[in-house]
Amino acid sequence: MINITIEDRNGTRQDIVIPEGINLSLMEVLKASEYNILATCGGMGICATCHVQVLEAPGSLPPVNDTELDMLDTLPEAGPDSRLSCQIRVNENIAGAVFRIKGESNE
Amino acid sequence: MITTDICIIGAGPVGLFAVFEAGLLKMRCHLIDALPQVGGQLSEIYPQKPIYDIPGFPAINAQDLVNNLLDQINPFHPTFTLGERVEKLERQEDGSYLITSNENTQIHCQVVVIAAGLGSFEPRKPAVERLEDFEGKGVAYMVKNPELFRDKRIVLAGGGDSALDWTLFLSEIASKVTLVHRGETFRGAPDSAEKVFSLAEQGRINLILNANVTALNGNGHLKEISISRKDKTVSNLDVDYFIPLFGLTPKLGPIADWNLAVDKSAIEVNTQDFSTNVERIYAIGDINTYPGKLKLILCGFHEAALMAQSAFKYVFPEQKLSFKYTTVNGIHAL
Ligand SMILES: Cc1cc2nc3c(=O)[nH]c(=O)nc-3n(C[C@H](O)[C@H](O)[C@H](O)COP(=O)(O)OP(=O)(O)OC[C@H]3O[C@@H](n4cnc5c(N)ncnc54)[C@H](O)[C@@H]3O)c2cc1C
Ligand code: FES
Protein backbone atom coordinates (compact mmCIF):
# COMPACT_ATOMS: atom_id res chain seq x y z
CA MET A 1 0.00 0.00 0.00
CA ILE A 2 1.17 3.55 -0.80
CA ASN A 3 0.25 6.33 1.64
CA ILE A 4 0.09 9.94 0.54
CA THR A 5 -1.46 13.07 2.01
CA ILE A 6 -3.59 15.57 0.11
CA GLU A 7 -4.23 19.10 1.28
CA ASP A 8 -7.30 20.64 -0.33
CA ARG A 9 -7.88 24.28 -1.24
CA ASN A 10 -9.18 24.97 2.28
CA GLY A 11 -6.05 23.60 3.90
CA THR A 12 -7.73 20.39 5.12
CA ARG A 13 -5.45 17.36 4.95
CA GLN A 14 -6.56 13.82 4.19
CA ASP A 15 -4.48 10.65 4.00
CA ILE A 16 -5.04 8.44 0.99
CA VAL A 17 -4.05 4.80 0.78
CA ILE A 18 -3.49 3.48 -2.74
CA PRO A 19 -2.91 -0.19 -3.63
CA GLU A 20 0.46 -0.86 -5.24
CA GLY A 21 0.66 -1.60 -8.95
CA ILE A 22 -2.57 0.18 -9.96
CA ASN A 23 -0.85 2.13 -12.71
CA LEU A 24 -2.74 5.38 -12.24
CA SER A 25 -1.55 8.96 -12.28
CA LEU A 26 -1.90 11.17 -9.22
CA MET A 27 -4.54 13.16 -11.17
CA GLU A 28 -6.62 9.98 -11.64
CA VAL A 29 -6.29 9.16 -7.94
CA LEU A 30 -7.42 12.69 -7.02
CA LYS A 31 -10.42 12.43 -9.34
CA ALA A 32 -11.29 8.98 -7.99
CA SER A 33 -11.10 10.42 -4.46
CA GLU A 34 -13.68 13.03 -5.57
CA TYR A 35 -11.38 16.02 -5.41
CA ASN A 36 -12.69 18.86 -7.45
CA ILE A 37 -10.13 19.43 -10.21
CA LEU A 38 -10.68 20.24 -13.86
CA ALA A 39 -8.11 18.00 -15.61
CA THR A 40 -9.51 19.23 -18.92
CA CYS A 41 -7.21 17.24 -21.23
CA GLY A 42 -7.73 13.99 -19.36
CA GLY A 43 -4.06 13.60 -18.45
CA MET A 44 -2.30 14.41 -21.71
CA GLY A 45 -0.25 17.14 -20.06
CA ILE A 46 -1.57 19.86 -22.35
CA CYS A 47 -4.07 21.83 -20.28
CA ALA A 48 -2.25 22.57 -17.00
CA THR A 49 -5.47 22.40 -15.00
CA CYS A 50 -4.33 19.52 -12.73
CA HIS A 51 -1.74 21.60 -10.89
CA VAL A 52 -0.46 20.42 -7.47
CA GLN A 53 2.21 21.79 -5.16
CA VAL A 54 4.61 19.29 -3.61
CA LEU A 55 4.79 20.16 0.09
CA GLU A 56 6.84 17.14 1.17
CA ALA A 57 8.46 14.40 -0.86
CA PRO A 58 10.45 11.86 1.14
CA GLY A 59 10.89 9.63 -1.95
CA SER A 60 12.13 10.72 -5.36
CA LEU A 61 9.38 12.06 -7.56
CA PRO A 62 9.95 11.58 -11.28
CA PRO A 63 11.85 14.58 -12.71
CA VAL A 64 9.92 17.35 -14.47
CA ASN A 65 10.42 17.07 -18.21
CA ASP A 66 10.44 19.97 -20.68
CA THR A 67 6.82 19.52 -21.75
CA GLU A 68 5.60 19.59 -18.16
CA LEU A 69 7.74 22.67 -17.45
CA ASP A 70 6.29 24.37 -20.52
CA MET A 71 2.76 23.78 -19.30
CA LEU A 72 3.55 24.82 -15.72
CA ASP A 73 4.87 28.05 -17.13
CA THR A 74 1.34 28.97 -18.26
CA LEU A 75 0.21 29.02 -14.62
CA PRO A 76 0.80 32.45 -13.18
CA GLU A 77 0.81 31.02 -9.64
CA ALA A 78 3.23 28.13 -10.31
CA GLY A 79 6.37 27.92 -8.17
CA PRO A 80 9.49 25.73 -8.15
CA ASP A 81 7.56 23.03 -6.23
CA SER A 82 4.69 22.89 -8.73
CA ARG A 83 3.82 19.75 -10.71
CA LEU A 84 1.09 18.52 -13.03
CA SER A 85 -0.58 15.69 -11.15
CA CYS A 86 -1.33 13.81 -14.38
CA GLN A 87 2.41 13.50 -15.02
CA ILE A 88 3.11 11.79 -11.68
CA ARG A 89 2.67 8.00 -11.68
CA VAL A 90 1.50 6.57 -8.40
CA ASN A 91 4.17 4.13 -7.18
CA GLU A 92 6.39 3.59 -4.13
CA ASN A 93 8.49 6.67 -5.07
CA ILE A 94 5.66 8.97 -4.02
CA ALA A 95 4.97 7.22 -0.69
CA GLY A 96 4.79 9.68 2.20
CA ALA A 97 4.50 12.71 -0.07
CA VAL A 98 2.19 15.63 0.75
CA PHE A 99 0.50 17.39 -2.18
CA ARG A 100 -1.56 20.58 -2.08
CA ILE A 101 -4.29 20.93 -4.70
CA LYS A 102 -3.70 24.11 -6.69
CA GLY A 103 -5.54 23.30 -9.94
CA GLU A 104 -8.68 25.08 -11.01
CA SER A 105 -11.94 23.87 -9.54
CA ASN A 106 -14.54 22.48 -11.95
CA GLU A 107 -17.32 24.60 -10.48
CA MET B 1 -28.64 44.35 -33.85
CA ILE B 2 -28.09 40.96 -35.50
CA THR B 3 -31.25 39.02 -36.37
CA THR B 4 -31.19 35.30 -37.01
CA ASP B 5 -33.25 32.12 -36.57
CA ILE B 6 -30.85 30.26 -34.28
CA CYS B 7 -28.11 31.76 -32.16
CA ILE B 8 -25.48 29.18 -31.29
CA ILE B 9 -23.38 29.95 -28.23
CA GLY B 10 -20.03 28.26 -28.80
CA ALA B 11 -18.25 27.71 -32.12
CA GLY B 12 -16.62 24.41 -31.15
CA PRO B 13 -17.06 21.37 -33.43
CA VAL B 14 -20.59 20.74 -32.19
CA GLY B 15 -21.75 24.35 -32.61
CA LEU B 16 -20.26 24.38 -36.12
CA PHE B 17 -21.98 21.16 -37.15
CA ALA B 18 -25.28 22.44 -35.75
CA VAL B 19 -25.16 25.10 -38.50
CA PHE B 20 -25.18 22.31 -41.08
CA GLU B 21 -28.11 20.47 -39.53
CA ALA B 22 -30.07 23.72 -39.13
CA GLY B 23 -29.12 24.81 -42.65
CA LEU B 24 -30.60 21.66 -44.18
CA LEU B 25 -33.92 22.78 -42.71
CA LYS B 26 -33.39 26.32 -44.04
CA MET B 27 -32.77 27.84 -40.63
CA ARG B 28 -30.15 30.61 -40.47
CA CYS B 29 -27.52 30.56 -37.71
CA HIS B 30 -25.34 33.10 -35.98
CA LEU B 31 -22.45 31.77 -33.86
CA ILE B 32 -20.83 33.59 -30.98
CA ASP B 33 -17.65 32.51 -29.21
CA ALA B 34 -15.45 33.98 -26.51
CA LEU B 35 -12.36 32.85 -28.41
CA PRO B 36 -11.04 34.90 -31.31
CA GLN B 37 -11.13 31.79 -33.53
CA VAL B 38 -13.62 28.95 -34.14
CA GLY B 39 -12.97 25.31 -33.19
CA GLY B 40 -13.41 25.24 -29.40
CA GLN B 41 -11.22 22.73 -27.57
CA LEU B 42 -9.85 21.38 -30.86
CA SER B 43 -8.27 24.66 -31.92
CA GLU B 44 -7.47 25.93 -28.44
CA ILE B 45 -6.10 22.85 -26.67
CA TYR B 46 -5.02 20.24 -29.21
CA PRO B 47 -4.91 21.62 -32.79
CA GLN B 48 -2.13 19.28 -33.94
CA LYS B 49 -3.40 16.05 -32.35
CA PRO B 50 -4.86 13.34 -34.55
CA ILE B 51 -8.44 12.25 -33.79
CA TYR B 52 -9.29 8.64 -34.61
CA ASP B 53 -13.00 8.32 -33.92
CA ILE B 54 -14.65 10.52 -36.52
CA PRO B 55 -16.62 8.24 -38.86
CA GLY B 56 -15.16 8.20 -42.35
CA PHE B 57 -11.78 9.54 -41.22
CA PRO B 58 -9.41 6.81 -39.94
CA ALA B 59 -7.34 9.73 -38.58
CA ILE B 60 -7.77 13.46 -38.84
CA ASN B 61 -5.79 16.30 -37.33
CA ALA B 62 -8.01 18.36 -34.97
CA GLN B 63 -7.50 21.66 -36.81
CA ASP B 64 -8.18 19.95 -40.16
CA LEU B 65 -11.48 18.68 -38.77
CA VAL B 66 -12.40 22.25 -37.80
CA ASN B 67 -11.42 23.50 -41.27
CA ASN B 68 -13.52 20.76 -42.89
CA LEU B 69 -16.49 21.66 -40.70
CA LEU B 70 -16.15 25.27 -41.85
CA ASP B 71 -16.10 24.13 -45.50
CA GLN B 72 -19.13 21.95 -44.86
CA ILE B 73 -21.22 24.80 -43.43
CA ASN B 74 -20.03 27.44 -45.87
CA PRO B 75 -23.03 26.96 -48.23
CA PHE B 76 -25.33 28.03 -45.40
CA HIS B 77 -23.53 31.37 -44.86
CA PRO B 78 -23.48 31.39 -41.07
CA THR B 79 -22.45 34.67 -39.43
CA PHE B 80 -20.02 34.96 -36.52
CA THR B 81 -19.24 37.13 -33.51
CA LEU B 82 -15.82 36.06 -32.24
CA GLY B 83 -13.83 37.18 -29.19
CA GLU B 84 -17.00 38.03 -27.24
CA ARG B 85 -18.68 36.12 -24.42
CA VAL B 86 -22.45 35.83 -24.10
CA GLU B 87 -23.48 37.45 -20.84
CA LYS B 88 -27.27 37.75 -20.95
CA LEU B 89 -30.25 35.87 -22.35
CA GLU B 90 -33.55 37.76 -22.24
CA ARG B 91 -36.82 36.19 -23.21
CA GLN B 92 -39.06 38.48 -25.29
CA GLU B 93 -42.85 38.64 -25.06
CA ASP B 94 -43.31 36.58 -28.25
CA GLY B 95 -41.02 33.82 -26.86
CA SER B 96 -37.98 34.82 -28.92
CA TYR B 97 -34.65 35.72 -27.27
CA LEU B 98 -32.37 38.71 -27.10
CA ILE B 99 -28.75 37.77 -26.44
CA THR B 100 -26.18 40.29 -25.24
CA SER B 101 -22.40 39.84 -25.22
CA ASN B 102 -19.84 41.37 -22.87
CA GLU B 103 -19.15 43.93 -25.60
CA ASN B 104 -22.86 44.75 -25.94
CA THR B 105 -23.38 42.99 -29.28
CA GLN B 106 -27.07 42.08 -29.45
CA ILE B 107 -28.50 39.12 -31.29
CA HIS B 108 -32.21 38.51 -31.71
CA CYS B 109 -33.19 34.89 -32.40
CA GLN B 110 -36.09 32.46 -32.24
CA VAL B 111 -34.04 29.63 -30.73
CA VAL B 112 -30.92 29.53 -28.54
CA VAL B 113 -28.54 26.60 -28.85
CA ILE B 114 -25.93 26.36 -26.10
CA ALA B 115 -22.92 24.48 -27.48
CA ALA B 116 -20.60 25.92 -24.86
CA GLY B 117 -18.44 22.84 -24.19
CA LEU B 118 -16.46 23.27 -20.99
CA GLY B 119 -17.55 26.88 -20.74
CA SER B 120 -15.98 29.95 -22.21
CA PHE B 121 -12.22 30.13 -22.48
CA GLU B 122 -11.00 32.92 -20.22
CA PRO B 123 -7.50 34.31 -19.72
CA ARG B 124 -5.52 32.96 -16.76
CA LYS B 125 -5.00 35.89 -14.45
CA PRO B 126 -1.83 36.33 -12.42
CA ALA B 127 -2.05 37.25 -8.74
CA VAL B 128 -1.31 40.94 -9.08
CA GLU B 129 -2.69 43.52 -6.67
CA ARG B 130 -5.54 45.58 -8.17
CA LEU B 131 -5.40 43.70 -11.49
CA GLU B 132 -9.17 43.64 -11.91
CA ASP B 133 -9.52 47.34 -11.02
CA PHE B 134 -7.63 48.21 -14.18
CA GLU B 135 -9.28 45.77 -16.62
CA GLY B 136 -10.23 47.86 -19.65
CA LYS B 137 -8.31 50.77 -18.08
CA GLY B 138 -4.81 49.69 -18.91
CA VAL B 139 -4.96 45.92 -18.35
CA ALA B 140 -5.67 43.85 -21.48
CA TYR B 141 -5.54 40.06 -21.83
CA MET B 142 -5.42 40.00 -25.62
CA VAL B 143 -4.27 42.33 -28.34
CA LYS B 144 -7.44 42.84 -30.33
CA ASN B 145 -6.59 46.16 -31.91
CA PRO B 146 -2.81 46.77 -32.05
CA GLU B 147 -3.38 50.46 -32.91
CA LEU B 148 -4.47 51.00 -29.31
CA PHE B 149 -0.85 50.44 -28.31
CA ARG B 150 0.82 52.76 -30.81
CA ASP B 151 3.36 55.06 -29.09
CA LYS B 152 2.39 53.72 -25.68
CA ARG B 153 4.52 52.21 -22.88
CA ILE B 154 3.65 48.52 -22.61
CA VAL B 155 4.58 45.83 -20.10
CA LEU B 156 3.91 42.22 -21.12
CA ALA B 157 4.22 39.21 -18.81
CA GLY B 158 4.58 35.52 -19.68
CA GLY B 159 7.03 33.10 -21.25
CA GLY B 160 5.09 31.39 -24.03
CA ASP B 161 4.59 31.99 -27.70
CA SER B 162 1.99 34.70 -27.34
CA ALA B 163 4.16 36.71 -24.91
CA LEU B 164 7.13 36.44 -27.29
CA ASP B 165 5.13 37.10 -30.45
CA TRP B 166 3.36 40.17 -29.07
CA THR B 167 6.62 41.53 -27.62
CA LEU B 168 8.16 41.34 -31.08
CA PHE B 169 5.10 42.82 -32.76
CA LEU B 170 4.55 45.64 -30.28
CA SER B 171 8.25 46.58 -30.29
CA GLU B 172 7.55 47.98 -33.77
CA ILE B 173 4.70 50.25 -32.80
CA ALA B 174 4.86 51.00 -29.06
CA SER B 175 7.14 53.69 -27.63
CA LYS B 176 8.55 51.29 -25.00
CA VAL B 177 8.08 47.55 -24.52
CA THR B 178 9.06 45.64 -21.39
CA LEU B 179 8.73 41.86 -21.13
CA VAL B 180 8.67 40.43 -17.61
CA HIS B 181 9.21 36.68 -17.27
CA ARG B 182 9.56 34.69 -14.09
CA GLY B 183 12.15 32.29 -15.52
CA GLU B 184 15.22 32.86 -17.60
CA THR B 185 14.45 30.61 -20.54
CA PHE B 186 11.37 30.77 -22.75
CA ARG B 187 9.07 27.90 -23.62
CA GLY B 188 7.94 29.58 -26.84
CA ALA B 189 9.47 28.95 -30.28
CA PRO B 190 13.32 29.15 -29.99
CA ASP B 191 13.45 31.44 -33.01
CA SER B 192 11.12 34.01 -31.36
CA ALA B 193 13.04 33.73 -28.07
CA GLU B 194 16.29 34.46 -29.92
CA LYS B 195 14.76 37.53 -31.56
CA VAL B 196 13.55 38.79 -28.17
CA PHE B 197 17.01 38.34 -26.62
CA SER B 198 18.58 40.11 -29.58
CA LEU B 199 16.15 43.10 -29.35
CA ALA B 200 16.98 43.33 -25.65
CA GLU B 201 20.71 43.38 -26.41
CA GLN B 202 20.17 46.18 -28.91
CA GLY B 203 18.27 48.10 -26.23
CA ARG B 204 15.11 48.10 -28.33
CA ILE B 205 13.08 46.33 -25.65
CA ASN B 206 13.46 46.03 -21.91
CA LEU B 207 13.70 42.36 -20.83
CA ILE B 208 13.32 41.60 -17.12
CA LEU B 209 13.93 37.93 -16.27
CA ASN B 210 13.49 36.08 -12.95
CA ALA B 211 10.83 38.60 -12.00
CA ASN B 212 7.09 39.01 -11.56
CA VAL B 213 4.68 41.91 -11.85
CA THR B 214 3.24 42.24 -8.34
CA ALA B 215 1.21 45.44 -8.12
CA LEU B 216 -0.53 48.03 -10.26
CA ASN B 217 -1.18 51.66 -9.51
CA GLY B 218 -3.04 54.51 -11.11
CA ASN B 219 -5.95 56.80 -10.84
CA GLY B 220 -8.74 55.82 -13.25
CA HIS B 221 -6.15 54.45 -15.71
CA LEU B 222 -3.04 52.35 -15.12
CA LYS B 223 0.03 54.53 -14.48
CA GLU B 224 2.63 52.48 -12.66
CA ILE B 225 3.59 48.86 -12.24
CA SER B 226 5.72 47.17 -9.54
CA ILE B 227 8.11 44.43 -10.55
CA SER B 228 9.61 42.09 -7.92
CA ARG B 229 12.79 40.23 -8.82
CA LYS B 230 13.96 36.90 -7.48
CA ASP B 231 16.63 38.72 -5.42
CA LYS B 232 13.69 40.43 -3.61
CA THR B 233 14.35 43.89 -5.07
CA VAL B 234 11.26 45.78 -6.24
CA SER B 235 11.26 48.44 -8.92
CA ASN B 236 8.47 50.63 -10.25
CA LEU B 237 7.91 51.44 -13.89
CA ASP B 238 5.67 54.05 -15.55
CA VAL B 239 3.33 52.31 -18.02
CA ASP B 240 0.20 52.82 -20.09
CA TYR B 241 -0.73 49.15 -20.61
CA PHE B 242 -0.09 45.83 -18.88
CA ILE B 243 -0.73 42.68 -20.95
CA PRO B 244 -0.43 39.41 -18.95
CA LEU B 245 -0.33 36.42 -21.34
CA PHE B 246 -0.62 33.12 -19.47
CA GLY B 247 -2.94 31.19 -21.77
CA LEU B 248 -6.62 30.44 -21.39
CA THR B 249 -8.72 28.21 -19.21
CA PRO B 250 -12.41 27.23 -19.53
CA LYS B 251 -14.93 28.64 -17.05
CA LEU B 252 -18.66 27.96 -16.91
CA GLY B 253 -19.22 31.70 -16.46
CA PRO B 254 -22.61 33.33 -16.98
CA ILE B 255 -24.36 30.11 -18.12
CA ALA B 256 -24.79 29.25 -14.45
CA ASP B 257 -27.18 32.24 -14.06
CA TRP B 258 -29.66 31.44 -16.84
CA ASN B 259 -32.17 29.43 -14.76
CA LEU B 260 -31.28 26.21 -16.52
CA ALA B 261 -31.24 22.91 -14.67
CA VAL B 262 -27.53 22.32 -14.07
CA ASP B 263 -25.86 19.25 -12.59
CA LYS B 264 -22.11 19.44 -11.82
CA SER B 265 -21.53 22.30 -14.28
CA ALA B 266 -23.46 20.59 -17.12
CA ILE B 267 -26.95 21.45 -18.41
CA GLU B 268 -29.59 18.75 -18.03
CA VAL B 269 -31.44 17.95 -21.27
CA ASN B 270 -34.23 15.80 -22.64
CA THR B 271 -32.60 13.19 -24.88
CA GLN B 272 -35.55 13.23 -27.26
CA ASP B 273 -34.41 16.56 -28.73
CA PHE B 274 -31.73 17.94 -26.36
CA SER B 275 -34.03 20.69 -25.16
CA THR B 276 -33.42 22.15 -21.72
CA ASN B 277 -35.97 22.91 -19.01
CA VAL B 278 -36.49 26.34 -20.65
CA GLU B 279 -38.53 26.47 -23.85
CA ARG B 280 -36.57 27.36 -27.05
CA ILE B 281 -33.23 26.75 -25.37
CA TYR B 282 -31.28 23.64 -26.37
CA ALA B 283 -27.92 22.38 -25.07
CA ILE B 284 -25.69 20.13 -27.18
CA GLY B 285 -22.13 18.78 -26.97
CA ASP B 286 -19.90 18.70 -23.89
CA ILE B 287 -22.01 21.25 -22.00
CA ASN B 288 -25.01 18.94 -21.56
CA THR B 289 -25.67 15.92 -19.38
CA TYR B 290 -28.10 13.00 -19.45
CA PRO B 291 -27.92 9.37 -18.40
CA GLY B 292 -25.18 7.72 -20.43
CA LYS B 293 -23.69 10.98 -21.73
CA LEU B 294 -20.32 10.61 -23.50
CA LYS B 295 -18.25 13.73 -24.09
CA LEU B 296 -17.32 12.89 -27.67
CA ILE B 297 -17.51 14.95 -30.84
CA LEU B 298 -19.50 12.17 -32.50
CA CYS B 299 -22.17 12.31 -29.78
CA GLY B 300 -22.39 16.11 -30.07
CA PHE B 301 -22.98 15.77 -33.83
CA HIS B 302 -25.88 13.38 -33.22
CA GLU B 303 -27.34 15.78 -30.65
CA ALA B 304 -27.10 18.65 -33.17
CA ALA B 305 -29.16 16.70 -35.72
CA LEU B 306 -31.98 15.96 -33.27
CA MET B 307 -31.93 19.50 -31.92
CA ALA B 308 -32.41 20.98 -35.41
CA GLN B 309 -35.47 18.81 -36.13
CA SER B 310 -37.04 20.01 -32.89
CA ALA B 311 -36.05 23.70 -33.21
CA PHE B 312 -37.81 23.85 -36.61
CA LYS B 313 -41.22 24.23 -34.96
CA TYR B 314 -40.19 27.52 -33.35
CA VAL B 315 -38.60 28.98 -36.47
CA PHE B 316 -41.37 27.92 -38.88
CA PRO B 317 -44.42 27.44 -36.64
CA GLU B 318 -46.76 27.30 -39.63
CA GLN B 319 -44.87 24.53 -41.46
CA LYS B 320 -44.89 20.79 -40.93
CA LEU B 321 -41.50 19.10 -41.03
CA SER B 322 -41.13 15.83 -42.86
CA PHE B 323 -37.78 14.11 -42.60
CA LYS B 324 -35.74 13.85 -45.82
CA TYR B 325 -32.23 12.57 -46.42
CA THR B 326 -29.71 15.23 -47.39
CA THR B 327 -29.19 13.35 -50.65
CA VAL B 328 -32.81 13.96 -51.69
CA ASN B 329 -32.15 17.62 -52.47
CA GLY B 330 -28.39 18.00 -52.07
CA ILE B 331 -27.16 20.89 -49.98
CA HIS B 332 -26.55 23.19 -52.93
CA ALA B 333 -30.21 22.89 -53.91
CA LEU B 334 -31.20 24.45 -50.60
C1 LIG C 1 -6.88 16.73 -25.27
C2 LIG C 1 -8.24 16.34 -25.72
C3 LIG C 1 -8.38 15.31 -26.64
C4 LIG C 1 -9.65 14.94 -27.08
N1 LIG C 1 -9.77 13.92 -28.00
C5 LIG C 1 -11.00 13.61 -28.49
C6 LIG C 1 -11.15 12.58 -29.49
O1 LIG C 1 -10.17 11.98 -29.93
N2 LIG C 1 -12.41 12.32 -29.95
C7 LIG C 1 -13.51 12.98 -29.49
O2 LIG C 1 -14.62 12.73 -29.96
N3 LIG C 1 -13.39 13.94 -28.53
C8 LIG C 1 -12.17 14.26 -28.03
N4 LIG C 1 -12.06 15.23 -27.06
C9 LIG C 1 -13.30 15.86 -26.58
C10 LIG C 1 -13.77 16.91 -27.59
O3 LIG C 1 -12.75 17.89 -27.77
C11 LIG C 1 -15.05 17.55 -27.08
O4 LIG C 1 -16.04 16.55 -26.95
C12 LIG C 1 -15.53 18.60 -28.06
O5 LIG C 1 -14.59 19.65 -28.22
C13 LIG C 1 -16.85 19.19 -27.59
O6 LIG C 1 -17.25 20.14 -28.52
P1 LIG C 1 -18.23 21.31 -28.14
O7 LIG C 1 -18.45 22.03 -29.45
O8 LIG C 1 -19.37 20.77 -27.39
O9 LIG C 1 -17.43 22.23 -27.11
P2 LIG C 1 -16.02 22.98 -27.13
O10 LIG C 1 -15.08 22.38 -28.11
O11 LIG C 1 -15.58 23.05 -25.71
O12 LIG C 1 -16.40 24.44 -27.63
C14 LIG C 1 -17.22 25.27 -26.85
C15 LIG C 1 -17.00 26.71 -27.23
O13 LIG C 1 -17.99 27.51 -26.56
C16 LIG C 1 -17.41 28.73 -26.19
N5 LIG C 1 -18.22 29.33 -25.11
C17 LIG C 1 -18.57 28.75 -23.93
N6 LIG C 1 -19.34 29.59 -23.20
C18 LIG C 1 -19.46 30.72 -23.92
C19 LIG C 1 -20.11 31.98 -23.70
N7 LIG C 1 -20.80 32.24 -22.59
N8 LIG C 1 -19.99 32.92 -24.67
C20 LIG C 1 -19.28 32.68 -25.81
N9 LIG C 1 -18.66 31.52 -26.07
C21 LIG C 1 -18.74 30.56 -25.15
C22 LIG C 1 -16.00 28.35 -25.77
O14 LIG C 1 -15.12 29.47 -25.84
C23 LIG C 1 -15.65 27.25 -26.77
O15 LIG C 1 -14.94 27.74 -27.89
C24 LIG C 1 -10.80 15.61 -26.60
C25 LIG C 1 -10.66 16.65 -25.68
C26 LIG C 1 -9.39 17.03 -25.24
C27 LIG C 1 -9.24 18.17 -24.29
S1 FES D 1 -4.94 16.90 -16.95
FE1 FES D 1 -4.33 18.30 -18.45
S2 FES D 1 -2.29 18.73 -17.91
FE2 FES D 1 -2.89 17.28 -16.46
Side-chain angles (χ1 to χ4, degrees):
Chain A
M1 288 295 187
I2 301 158
N3 290 279
I4 58 168
T5 303
I6 306 298
E7 184 177 304
D8 68 15
R9 294 183 188 83
N10 302 325
T12 313
R13 288 192 177 195
Q14 191 193 346
D15 294 332
I16 298 189
V17 183
I18 312 153
E20 272 163 55
I22 54 165
N23 195 27
L24 289 181
S25 69
L26 176 60
M27 179 277 279
E28 289 164 317
V29 168
L30 293 174
K31 283 239 160 208
S33 312
E34 311 237 311
Y35 279 103
N36 176 351
I37 52 168
L38 261 182
T40 304
C41 75
M44 299 173 81
I46 55 175
C47 72
T49 56
C50 64
H51 180 197
V52 291
Q53 190 182 354
V54 183
L55 298 181
E56 287 170 41
S60 52
L61 296 187
V64 192
N65 63 27
D66 284 352
T67 337
E68 186 178 345
L69 267 181
D70 284 356
M71 278 326 298
L72 284 168
D73 213 23
T74 64
L75 298 172
E77 72 282 15
D81 45 6
S82 286
R83 295 296 303 258
L84 296 178
S85 57
C86 69
Q87 300 302 302
I88 298 178
R89 288 273 128 211
V90 170
N91 57 31
E92 52 287 356
N93 290 337
I94 76 160
V98 182
F99 299 99
R100 176 185 286 157
I101 297 197
K102 295 280 283 182
E104 295 147 74
S105 128
N106 63 11
E107 275 166 6
Chain B
M1 181 168 11
I2 297 158
T3 306
T4 186
D5 296 329
I6 301 184
C7 179
I8 303 174
I9 302 171
V14 176
L16 291 175
F17 190 65
V19 174
F20 182 81
E21 289 297 331
L24 291 176
L25 304 178
K26 297 192 163 51
M27 296 185 284
R28 294 166 304 147
C29 293
H30 183 83
L31 292 116
I32 177 161
D33 202 299
L35 292 173
Q37 83 277 339
V38 304
Q41 292 172 53
L42 280 66
S43 305
E44 187 53 41
I45 307 180
Y46 59 106
Q48 298 313 327
K49 280 214 166 308
I51 306 176
Y52 301 104
D53 52 355
I54 303 297
F57 291 98
I60 182 164
N61 170 290
Q63 189 57 49
D64 289 345
L65 176 61
V66 171
N67 295 342
N68 286 358
L69 283 164
L70 280 175
D71 282 349
Q72 191 173 13
I73 62 176
N74 195 32
F76 300 112
H77 310 294
T79 47
F80 295 88
T81 299
L82 296 176
E84 294 184 29
R85 184 181 66 193
V86 171
E87 289 290 335
K88 245 191 343 195
L89 288 187
E90 286 166 298
R91 197 182 160 88
Q92 308 296 290
E93 257 173 34
D94 63 354
S96 62
Y97 276 92
L98 187 64
I99 290 179
T100 310
S101 81
N102 60 332
E103 304 214 350
N104 279 322
T105 301
Q106 293 205 306
I107 302 148
H108 179 256
C109 60
Q110 297 302 323
V111 171
V112 178
V113 173
I114 305 176
L118 300 165
S120 72
F121 281 89
E122 306 283 322
R124 284 198 174 105
K125 297 181 184 179
V128 175
E129 266 176 54
R130 303 193 58 200
L131 183 74
E132 292 184 353
D133 293 355
F134 291 108
E135 283 175 359
K137 298 169 199 147
V139 169
Y141 300 103
M142 37 169 125
V143 182
K144 265 197 178 173
N145 171 15
E147 275 309 308
L148 188 67
F149 304 104
R150 183 170 293 278
D151 301 325
K152 297 283 192 280
R153 295 161 302 177
I154 319 285
V155 174
L156 297 111
D161 281 315
S162 40
L164 294 172
D165 292 348
W166 284 119
T167 299
L168 294 173
F169 183 87
L170 291 173
S171 69
E172 301 284 333
I173 59 171
S175 65
K176 184 176 179 196
V177 172
T178 303
L179 174 62
V180 181
H181 176 41
R182 66 160 164 247
E184 51 193 28
T185 53
F186 287 101
R187 77 193 137 82
D191 178 50
S192 315
E194 239 169 69
K195 283 191 189 138
V196 163
F197 280 122
S198 146
L199 283 186
E201 266 168 34
Q202 298 163 35
R204 288 173 52 202
I205 62 161
N206 183 13
L207 180 61
I208 307 182
L209 299 174
N210 292 317
N212 281 308
V213 171
T214 45
L216 306 179
N217 245 309
N219 191 1
H221 198 276
L222 181 64
K223 265 210 152 81
E224 191 189 53
I225 204 162
S226 302
I227 298 168
S228 307
R229 299 176 198 244
K230 248 195 195 140
D231 62 13
K232 303 263 188 291
T233 54
V234 179
S235 51
N236 292 334
L237 213 67
D238 288 343
V239 293
D240 300 304
Y241 286 97
F242 173 46
I243 313 177
L245 295 166
F246 292 101
L248 300 167
T249 189
K251 293 259 184 312
L252 191 59
I255 293 172
D257 308 323
W258 295 342
N259 290 329
L260 299 162
V262 169
D263 177 31
K264 294 201 191 83
S265 306
I267 301 171
E268 291 176 355
V269 286
N270 177 348
T271 48
Q272 217 173 336
D273 57 2
F274 301 95
S275 55
T276 67
N277 59 318
V278 180
E279 206 185 20
R280 293 182 189 237
I281 302 185
Y282 294 81
I284 57 176
D286 279 14
I287 191 73
N288 76 13
T289 182
Y290 52 84
K293 167 74 183 177
L294 279 181
K295 288 189 180 187
L296 286 176
I297 298 165
L298 169 77
C299 302
F301 288 172
H302 155 83
E303 295 163 14
L306 295 196
M307 172 282 296
Q309 300 284 320
S310 172
F312 185 86
K313 62 178 175 283
Y314 298 117
V315 178
F316 300 113
E318 67 293 347
Q319 287 182 36
K320 200 172 167 311
L321 177 64
S322 62
F323 175 77
K324 278 199 198 112
Y325 289 118
T326 323
T327 41
V328 175
N329 295 328
I331 50 165
H332 296 288
L334 286 165

